């Protein structure tokens, strides 16, 4: 039997294609990125070792502070909108008396399967200052709040983050809804019988039991906020100026527009480190809640 | 277990490296094979691979003409065309990275700089063709051939291109704006009038950053003829006064409503259709826009000189050109097997391509002179350029090669197109970059 | 008012947010579809919000004939199908070797594969672009298919591994006694058993690859090789000002995925959220 399942040539055949492809296309580039972040390199001529020069320059780069700020705003908008509002919707939707649940879930999820380009193009149209739906709605409701949504140096990042939040709301909602459903019904009933109000019962019983779900939802929201790129690329191309830059945008610009590959690799490394720290912190925060 | 893991990863990395190396080697042998027939003497012809722009009427015409002429001049040379794709020279860089460079190739200054560093471009300084090419140049376009570092990397066909303000004469008449507009204040006044009458005063495709930079450079060149080129010098760690003035002027115009509120999200197609549909009264773009604007709006459209701070400055500087010559054109690969001939062919192709542009397309914007007559049906606006502007043009803007400074200008001038960005921010941001780059 | 009616009014009020968000989620899409059937005048002035009064199907004819949509569809289809098939095959083989076969380093190899799941795209993007360039793959299907396969592997092997590990040992013993080769065991026994997991991963990877944008943006510049998300990036020429035609292009591009989702909504939702079970 052992010999049967230890067949060396079969093992090689099963294992090597995946392993080889994975190593060449994923692991080798990761190592390259780390190594090259210590070089001055234009992607064509021979790289020159430069120690921590790229990192030193990076920490003085005004684009970095813009990008970090925007990443944070993006992450906060995602977290507040998708997880905050998503939780409320999931709790209400899980109520056994809610009608049309299937229809609601489907409607929430449809934007998730759309291509990000379509969604961005749609919202470019929605945000159009003269002909867009958003400003027309304000006009219709007689609220004097017409905006140049995508050309304001301060607001456009929020407008863009909202597009991402809108598209992937259904995804987070599905996770949260499954989380709510997984809480045993009698826990909740016991709490309401004890005289707790419904929302208090949710607050004290349902939500703490959804810790694992929240851990995952926050990790997704925060890391995709930090790594955001496509929406600003399509909707404002990072502008006006560089006001909509994020770290991935920096990588794109330094590597593919300025051929400053070594420096761009340093940005990549920093981006991964920040995402990693964020993930660890989120895990720690939710685990501590468990022990208390 | 940990050690095993490490050993295994090392193994995998070695394996993958080997794979990469062997694949690269494979690529090279394949390309060697491609080049072999070039050396094969049996046809008696010298084959040269030429990488050139060849994707629409404007690029196919000059190249095909030049190749036909070459057949008469050098019958034993055979040209194998490799069409360039509009990919920011990625294809060419791939050739460079894999040692597969064409004998002759057409490219721009940023790419030439990279290739100079990686030794993928032949220095043409001492060739006989270069001396001849220098003698044949139109006045004022030396910077097209001779790079800022004093070397010659490529033979240019086109001359120095530059940006103009176009305006719709009928709209100006209707709103009651007198031409010429000579000052910034005058332009701001006009913007207010046009806006009040329901027009977009000037459409600009601000989604592309270079156009806002070009607009800014138009204002800068009224104060400092060298334009952005003046920023590329050791010790210029603070924005010179001319640039501060121009930034203040641009902000003033923005505040007067010259640009559409959505300018930074407007692309070329949207901006040009605003102008061509009569919704926008002015438009800013290169001199190449003359052809389509004449086609779309006929006699209704004309171009104006850039306004200045006062009338005296306007008169003094109106022939300053908002455009800098950067080296560009047909370059030669140092790895070419027939380098001597390739250099001659490169110079010949550039000269003949320019000849076609002048005689058939009616463009006076060419680098080498030609003794043949210009095309018959030249647009009126282009005639104005040929007779009024170019003969008087003494000062062209100078090239800015530093990409960091150029990018800072691009980013920050785009910001000047919208509300909520003050001139002070502009100055601070540029001073930061200048301080870093010009120390 | 009796407490019962009071409670049902409360119920009703409580559900209002659900339907409000229903509108937020759906109305932009409804708006897109309706403006794809209008002309600019109707969209901008006469009828911006509602259904079109006159259905301008010519927008769709224009979109299909003048825009490169069929080409983009085909490219997306080829890239997504081939990469999904290879992911399924390679990941299942790998998972089988790690979960069922007996050899020394299997746990180390499994961990090695797992690392890739936590690598964001940004960290491999630059060397990958150069790798693709140096392999002469730029502007070919391979430029996308090969990276998509590699990127899809870690996650898919994890899901397959979890599935295969739970299959009882007796299966192999029976196969061994029957004298079936290990390849027969894999193809004839394991593969059919894993079908539910294969379906989930197939949906997940197909959707991911169909909608992938960033890599395609960096690696593909040739108009003829563009996938759908890339092709819709710029509305050029007359498209940038003709909203009706833009709406039609976007509606056509979205339709297949929306239909797939409506037909298989539960499976798609399960596939898309399967990650939470593995990562969380």
């Amino acid at each position: 039997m052992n010999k049967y399942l230890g067949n060396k040539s079969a093992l090689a055949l099963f294992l090597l294609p995946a392993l080889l492809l994975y190593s060449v296309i994923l692991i080798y580039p990761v190592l390259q990125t780390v190594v090259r972040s210590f070089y001055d390199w234009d992607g064509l001529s021979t790289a020159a070792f430069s120690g921590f020069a790229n990192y030193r320059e990076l920490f003085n780069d005004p684009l970095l502070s813009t990008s970090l700020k925007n990443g944070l705003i993006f992450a906060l908008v995602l977290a507040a909108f998708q997880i905050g509002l998503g939780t409320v919707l999931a709790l209400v939707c899980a109520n056994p008396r809610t009608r049309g649940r299937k229809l609601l879930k489907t409607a929430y999820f449809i934007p998730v399967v759309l291509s990000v380009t379509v969604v961005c193009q749609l919202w470019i149209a929605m945000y159009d200052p003269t002909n867009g739906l958003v400003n027309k709605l304000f006009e219709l409701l007689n609220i004097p709040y017409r905006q140049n949504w995508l050309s304001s140096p301060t607001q456009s990042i929020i407008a863009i983050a909202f597009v991402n939040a809108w598209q992937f709301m259904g995804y987070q909602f599905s996770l949260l809804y499954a989380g709510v459903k997984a809480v045993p019904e009698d826990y909740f009933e016991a709490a309401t019988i004890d005289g707790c109000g419904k929302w208090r019962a949710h607050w004290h019983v349902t939500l703490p039991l959804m810790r694992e779900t929240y851990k995952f939802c926050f990790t997704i929201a925060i890391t995709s906020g930090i790594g955001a790129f496509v929406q600003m690329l399509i909707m404002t191309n990072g502008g006006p100026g560089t006001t909509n830059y994020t770290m991935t945008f920096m990588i794109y610009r330094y590597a593919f527009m300025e051929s400053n590959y070594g420096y761009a690799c340093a940005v990549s490394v920093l981006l991964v480190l920040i995402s990693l720290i964020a993930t660890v912190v989120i895990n720690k925060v939710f685990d501590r809640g468990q022990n208390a | 277990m940990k050690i095993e893991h490490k050993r295994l990863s090392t193994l995998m990395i070695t394996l993958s490296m080997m794979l990469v190396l062997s694949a690269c080697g494979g690529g090279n042998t394949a390309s060697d094979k491609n080049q072999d027939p070039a050396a094969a003497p049996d046809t008696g012809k010298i084959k040269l691979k030429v990488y050139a722009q060849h994707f629409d009427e404007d690029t196919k015409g000059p190249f095909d003409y030049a190749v036909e002429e070459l057949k008469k001049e050098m019958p034993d040379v055979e040209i194998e065309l490799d069409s360039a794709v509009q990919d920011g020279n990625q294809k060419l860089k791939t050739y460079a990275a894999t040692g597969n460079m064409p004998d002759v190739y057409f490219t721009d200054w940023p790419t030439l700089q990279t290739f100079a560093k990686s030794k993928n471009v032949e220095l043409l300084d001492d060739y006989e063709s270069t001396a001849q090419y220098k003698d044949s140049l139109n006045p004022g376009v030396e910077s097209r051939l001779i790079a800022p570092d004093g070397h010659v990397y490529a033979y240019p066909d086109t001359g120095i291109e530059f940006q103009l303000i176009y305006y719709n004469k009928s709209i100006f008449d209707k709103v009651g704006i007198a031409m010429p507009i000579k000052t910034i204040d005058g332009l701001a006044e006009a913007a207010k009038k046009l806006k009040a009458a329901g027009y977009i005063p000037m459409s600009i495709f601000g989604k592309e950053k270079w156009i806002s930079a070009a607009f800014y450079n138009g204002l800068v060149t009224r104060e400092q003829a060298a334009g952005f080129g003046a920023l590329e010098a050791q010790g210029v760690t603070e924005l010179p006064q001319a640039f501060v003035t121009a930034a203040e002027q641009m902000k003033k115009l923005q505040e007067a409503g010259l640009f559409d509120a959505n300018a930074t999200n407007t692309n070329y197609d949207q901006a040009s259709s605003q102008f061509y549909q009569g919704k926008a009264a002015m438009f800013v773009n290169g001199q190449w826009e003359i052809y389509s604007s004449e086609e779309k709006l006929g006699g209704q459209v004309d171009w104006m000189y850039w306004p200045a701070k006062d009338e005296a400055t306007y008169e003094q500087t109106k022939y300053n050109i908002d455009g800098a010559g950067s080296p560009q054109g047909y370059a030669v690969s140092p790895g070419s097997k027939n380098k001597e001939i390739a250099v001659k062919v490169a110079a010949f192709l550039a000269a003949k391509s320019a000849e076609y542009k002048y005689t058939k397309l009616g463009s006076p914007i060419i680098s080498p002179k030609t003794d043949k007559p210009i095309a018959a049906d030249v647009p009126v606006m282009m005639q104005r350029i040929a007779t009024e502007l170019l003969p008087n043009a003494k000062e062209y803007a100078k090239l800015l090669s530093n990409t960091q400074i150029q990018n800072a200008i691009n980013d920050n001038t785009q910001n000047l197109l919208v509300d909520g960005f003050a001139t002070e921010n502009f100055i601070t941001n540029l001073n930061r970059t200048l301080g870093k780059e010009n120390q | 008012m009796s407490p019962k009616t009071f409670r049902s009014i409360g119920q009703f009020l409580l559900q209002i947010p659900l339907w409000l968000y229903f509108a937020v989620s759906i109305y932009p899409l409804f708006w897109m579809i309706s403006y794809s059937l209008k002309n600019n005048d109707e969209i901008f002035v006469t009828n911006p919000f509602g259904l079109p009064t006159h259905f301008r199907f010519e927008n769709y004819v224009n979109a299909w004939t003048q825009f490169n949509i069929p080409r983009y569809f085909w490219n997306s289809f080829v890239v997504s199908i081939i990469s999904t098939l290879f992911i399924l095959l390679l990941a299942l083989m790998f998972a089988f070797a790690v979960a069922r076969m007996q050899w020394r380093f299997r746990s180390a190899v499994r961990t090695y594969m797992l690392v890739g799941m936590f690598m964001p795209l940004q960290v491999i993007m630059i060397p990958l672009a150069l790798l693709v360039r140096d392999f002469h793959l730029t502007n070919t299907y391979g430029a996308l298919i090969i990276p998509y396969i590699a990127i899809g592997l870690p996650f898919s092997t994890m899901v397959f591994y979890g599935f295969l590990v739970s299959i009882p040992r007796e299966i192999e013993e029976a196969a061994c006694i029957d004298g079936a080769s290990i390849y027969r065991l894999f193809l004839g026994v394991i593969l059919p058993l894993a079908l539910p997991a294969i379906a989930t991963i197939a949906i997940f990877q197909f959707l991911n690859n169909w909608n992938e944008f960033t890599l395609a943006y960096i690696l593909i510049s040739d108009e003829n090789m563009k996938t759908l998300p890339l092709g819709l990036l710029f509305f050029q020429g007359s498209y940038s000002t003709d909203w009706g035609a833009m709406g039609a292009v976007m509606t056509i591009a979205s339709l297949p995925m929306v239909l797939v989702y409506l037909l298989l909504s539960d499976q798609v939702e399960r596939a898309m959220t399967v990650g939470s079970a593995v990562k969380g």
Side-chain angles (χ1 to χ4, degrees), chain A residues 252-274:
Chain A
Y252 172 72
R253 172 187 178 140
Y254 287 125
F256 302 110
M257 286 159 70
E258 294 185 7
S259 291
N260 197 350
Y261 285 93
Y263 188 62
C265 285
V267 185
S268 301
V269 171
L270 187 65
L271 170 62
V272 175
L273 286 180
I274 293 178

Side-chain angles (χ1 to χ4, degrees), chain B residues 54 73 86 95 118 129 131 136 153 241 248 315 383 394 410:
Chain B
H54 198 265
E73 181 83 13
Q86 285 173 293
Y95 289 151
S118 59
S129 315
S136 76
Y153 296 105
Q241 187 53 43
E248 281 160 356
E315 295 299 344
Q383 280 170 22
K394 282 170 218 87
N410 289 354

Side-chain angles (χ1 to χ4, degrees), chain A residues 16 19-20 23-24 27-28 31-32 42-45 57 60 62-63 124 128-129 148 150-151 153 233-243 245 253-254 256 258-261, chain B residues 8 12-13 15-17 19-20 90 93-94 96-97 114-115 117-118 120 207-209 260-265 403-404 407-408 410-412 414-415 418-421 432 436-437:
Chain A
L16 283 183
L19 217 47
L20 207 67
S23 304
V24 176
I27 298 301
Y28 168 76
L31 298 174
Q32 276 279 309
D42 64 3
L44 213 52
S45 31
E57 200 187 328
N60 290 317
L63 272 186
I124 290 177
D128 189 282
N148 293 313
L150 294 177
S151 36
L233 176 79
I234 301 177
M235 298 180 74
T236 62
N237 200 13
T242 51
T243 47
Y245 262 57
R253 172 187 178 140
Y254 287 125
F256 302 110
E258 294 185 7
S259 291
N260 197 350
Y261 285 93
Chain B
L8 199 82
M12 285 329 299
I13 293 154
L15 245 166
S16 40
M17 297 283 235
L19 195 79
V20 174
Q90 274 309 314
K93 284 180 185 161
T94 309
T114 334
F115 284 176
K117 247 196 277 173
S118 59
N120 281 302
K207 199 163 190 172
E208 295 178 40
K209 290 177 180 173
D260 185 44
N262 204 30
T264 57
N265 289 305
T403 41
Q404 258 70 33
N407 284 333
N410 289 354
D411 290 338
N412 286 291
Q414 190 191 33
N415 252 331
V418 294
D419 290 329
F421 186 80
R432 191 190 295 125
K436 209 174 86 190
E437 297 296 320

Side-chain angles (χ1 to χ4, degrees), chain A residues 77-153:
Chain A
V77 171
L78 291 191
F81 189 81
Q82 295 179 332
I83 302 179
L85 185 59
T87 301
V88 175
L89 295 178
L91 288 175
V92 178
C93 194
N95 187 316
R97 285 194 208 96
T98 297
R99 292 186 196 288
R101 195 177 295 142
K102 176 82 189 154
L103 181 64
L104 288 167
K105 280 176 65 185
T106 309
Y108 295 173
F109 205 83
I110 282 183
V112 178
V113 300
L114 297 181
S115 135
V116 65
T117 323
V118 168
V119 170
C120 288
Q121 294 283 10
L122 172 60
W123 280 90
I124 290 177
M126 302 268 294
Y127 282 138
D128 189 282
T130 41
N131 303 315
L133 188 69
V134 180
N135 276 348
K136 282 219 190 283
L137 272 179
F138 281 120
E139 205 172 292
L140 186 77
L141 301 173
N142 238 330
I143 305 172
Y145 195 69
R146 297 176 62 97
Q147 301 281 326
N148 293 313
W149 296 98
L150 294 177
S151 36
S152 149

Side-chain angles (χ1 to χ4, degrees), chain A residues 1-2 4-7 9-11 13-15 17-19 21-30 32-34 41 43-44 81 85 88-90 92-93 95 97-100 102-118 121-126 128 131-133 136-137 140 162 165-166 169 171 173-175 198-199 212 216 227-230 233-234 248 251-252 255-256 261 264-265 268-269 271-272 275-276, chain C residues 7 11 14-15 17-19 21-22 24-29 31-32 35 43-45 48-49 90-91 93-94 96-98 100-103 109 112-117 119-120 122-131 133 135 146-147 149-151 153-154 169 172-173 175-176 180-183 185-186 207 211 213-214 217-218 228-230 232-235 243 246 250 253-254 257-258 261-262 265-266 268-269 272-273 275-276 279-280:
Chain A
M1 188 65 202
N2 269 352
Y4 179 63
L5 285 174
N7 182 335
S9 56
L11 185 65
L13 183 74
F14 282 134
L15 213 53
L19 217 47
L21 203 62
Y22 170 76
S23 304
V24 176
I25 303 293
L26 259 151
I27 298 301
Y28 168 76
V30 171
Q32 276 279 309
T33 301
V34 177
W41 183 43
L44 213 52
F81 189 81
L85 185 59
V88 175
L89 295 178
V92 178
C93 194
N95 187 316
R97 285 194 208 96
T98 297
R99 292 186 196 288
K102 176 82 189 154
L103 181 64
L104 288 167
K105 280 176 65 185
T106 309
Y108 295 173
F109 205 83
I110 282 183
V112 178
V113 300
L114 297 181
S115 135
V116 65
T117 323
V118 168
Q121 294 283 10
L122 172 60
W123 280 90
I124 290 177
M126 302 268 294
D128 189 282
N131 303 315
L133 188 69
K136 282 219 190 283
L137 272 179
L140 186 77
F162 177 78
W166 175 83
M169 176 68 163
Y171 181 79
F173 174 82
S174 294
L175 295 174
K198 203 176 256 171
W199 289 101
E212 288 301 316
F216 184 68
F229 167 60
V230 181
L233 176 79
I234 301 177
T248 312
I251 299 173
Y252 172 72
F256 302 110
Y261 285 93
C265 285
S268 301
V269 171
L271 170 62
V272 175
S275 303
L276 210 64
Chain C
R7 201 186 297 150
Q11 270 303 317
L14 203 58
Q15 291 188 18
L18 284 179
W19 294 99
Y21 194 77
F22 176 83
V24 172
S25 187
I26 283 297
Y27 187 68
L29 298 173
W31 182 65
M32 175 179 89
Y35 85 62
I43 303 166
F44 298 162
V45 189
F49 303 108
L90 297 188
M93 289 186 341
F94 180 89
F96 173 72
V98 175
R100 310 300 299 191
M101 294 179 73
Q102 283 161 7
W103 45 291
V109 168
Y112 174 66
M113 184 59 97
L114 201 65
V115 172
M117 236 166 69
M119 286 303 160
Q122 289 90 340
V123 75
I124 60 165
M125 174 161 111
I126 298 167
L128 184 60
L130 298 176
L131 213 58
R133 186 183 77 180
F135 276 121
I146 295 172
I149 299 172
I151 291 167
L153 281 176
R169 277 276 156 222
E172 279 112 2
E173 280 159 22
C176 185
S181 76
I182 193 155
Y183 306 106
L185 168 72
F186 178 74
L207 269 174
N211 285 337
F213 177 84
T214 308
Y217 181 69
I218 291 165
L228 207 50
L230 213 52
L232 305 187
L233 190 53
F234 301 111
F235 289 108
W243 283 40
M246 280 200 284
M250 280 149 63
S254 311
M257 280 301 125
V258 173
Y261 172 65
L262 291 179
S265 57
D266 288 336
V268 172
E269 272 175 55
M272 294 299 283
T273 49
S276 66
K279 282 194 193 179

